[in-house]
Amino acid sequence: MNNSSSMNNSPAVDLWNKIPSAVRDFIEVGGLLGLGVSIGLVCSKIGGPVMDAIGVVGTLVLFFAAGWLFLTRKVLKDHDSKAMIVQTLFSAIFMMSCSMYCLILFEVLNVLSHDARWLNWKVALTALVVLLIFVVPYYFCFLLLSNSDFTLRSSALLALVPTAIYLWAFFTITNSLPITGHSGSVTVMGISRLGVLGVTALAVTSGFGAVNCPRGYMIYFLRPVEDKDIETLERRLMKTIEMITAKKRRILMLEHE
């Protein structure tokens, strides 16, 4: 008991508790991401197919844990949500996204074997396309129906209808866009359409933010107008009017002379 209490009251723990929670969350998530990259580097130094598999799996597991921690500590911090499937889907997408970015870094640094990187790239890319285009929209429709007094079986079947309409609209609307991948694998077609729609959504939100942010925060840079400022401007206006009147009189007197 004394040892545990002394550990809880140690200077390191006190210093960690004094750090703001947002900074602590950033350090913890960043530490997991950095540890995942470090595992890949260490396994690459040892070499071998087994170490390549351990490096890939360890990296994915730590990225998944980082996504789970980020979701529970930041996004769902003030919500008592126990939707495990939603948390799992978010963490899986977060894991695949970080894995693809990490694979680019591994490609530049020549970490892990070429076959391991290529297999991980194809799996991550295919999983992202399936999750973003098929799984997430279907589960979104399923949640809407299940929260509307439908049974789980009815929600699962009825969710296929809006999902099918969404998929038809998704592939029909993007067919008129100047993109590649109109024929071929589902992965190529999905990535092409997701890329165009993602860039379009990013441009719209960035433009809205660029206009709305100065509009919203401009008031903090404006000096409030006080009563004495109004009185000063009124006195200046009266003096200007008197000066103009005096000059007009002088002009009239000169014209009569």
Side-chain angles (χ1 to χ4, degrees):
M1 293 293 294
N2 294 330
N3 293 331
S4 61
S5 62
S6 61
M7 290 178 62
N8 293 331
N9 296 327
S10 62
V13 175
D14 294 338
L15 180 61
W16 178 256
N17 292 330
K18 291 180 181 179
I19 300 175
S21 60
V23 178
R24 290 203 306 266
D25 297 339
F26 177 79
I27 293 174
E28 291 175 353
V29 175
L32 287 175
L33 295 176
L35 186 60
V37 177
S38 300
I39 287 180
L41 293 173
V42 172
C43 293
S44 177
K45 291 293 184 181
I46 299 175
V50 177
M51 298 308 299
D52 288 342
I54 294 175
V56 170
V57 174
T59 300
L60 293 177
V61 170
L62 288 172
F63 287 167
F64 184 88
W68 190 282
L69 184 64
F70 173 77
L71 181 66
T72 54
R73 292 287 182 86
K74 299 299 293 182
V75 181
L76 301 179
K77 183 178 181 180
D78 300 327
H79 301 277
D80 188 16
S81 176
K82 296 181 180 180
M84 299 297 294
I85 298 180
V86 175
Q87 298 178 13
T88 303
L89 288 176
F90 177 88
S91 302
I93 294 174
F94 186 90
M95 173 188 68
M96 294 302 174
S97 301
C98 292
S99 175
M100 295 183 67
Y101 179 80
C102 185
L103 286 174
I104 296 175
L105 180 63
F106 285 174
E107 182 71 22
V108 175
L109 300 178
N110 195 21
V111 177
L112 300 178
S113 64
H114 178 270
D115 294 335
R117 294 196 304 266
W118 178 241
L119 179 62
N120 192 4
W121 178 267
K122 290 194 296 185
V123 171
L125 200 61
T126 305
L128 269 179
V129 171
V130 172
L131 288 173
L132 293 176
I133 297 180
F134 300 101
V135 179
V136 172
Y138 172 78
Y139 193 70
F140 177 76
C141 298
F142 171 78
L143 285 181
L144 289 179
L145 294 172
S146 61
N147 293 330
S148 302
D149 298 332
F150 285 95
T151 62
L152 293 179
R153 183 175 182 180
S154 300
S155 301
L157 294 176
L158 292 176
L160 295 173
V161 178
T163 304
I165 296 174
Y166 152 76
L167 291 175
W168 173 82
F170 178 77
F171 284 97
T172 301
I173 294 174
T174 53
N175 278 335
S176 59
L177 299 176
I179 58 178
T180 59
H182 290 283
S183 60
S185 65
V186 177
T187 303
V188 175
M189 297 172 63
I191 288 297
S192 300
R193 286 156 174 77
L194 286 175
V196 172
L197 296 179
V199 172
T200 303
L202 182 63
V204 172
T205 54
S206 298
F208 175 79
V211 175
N212 186 63
C213 183
R215 176 179 172 273
Y217 290 96
M218 189 178 295
I219 188 174
Y220 295 104
F221 301 97
L222 298 178
R223 188 173 65 89
V225 179
E226 300 178 355
D227 294 337
K228 62 179 182 180
D229 297 329
I230 298 175
E231 294 175 357
T232 301
L233 291 176
E234 287 178 349
R235 287 196 298 267
R236 290 181 181 178
L237 178 61
M238 294 302 297
K239 288 182 180 179
T240 303
I241 293 174
E242 291 176 357
M243 184 178 61
I244 294 173
T245 304
K247 288 185 176 182
K248 286 183 176 180
R249 290 176 181 176
R250 187 175 180 182
I251 292 173
L252 291 174
M253 291 176 59
L254 291 175
E255 289 178 354
H256 284 297
E257 294 178 356

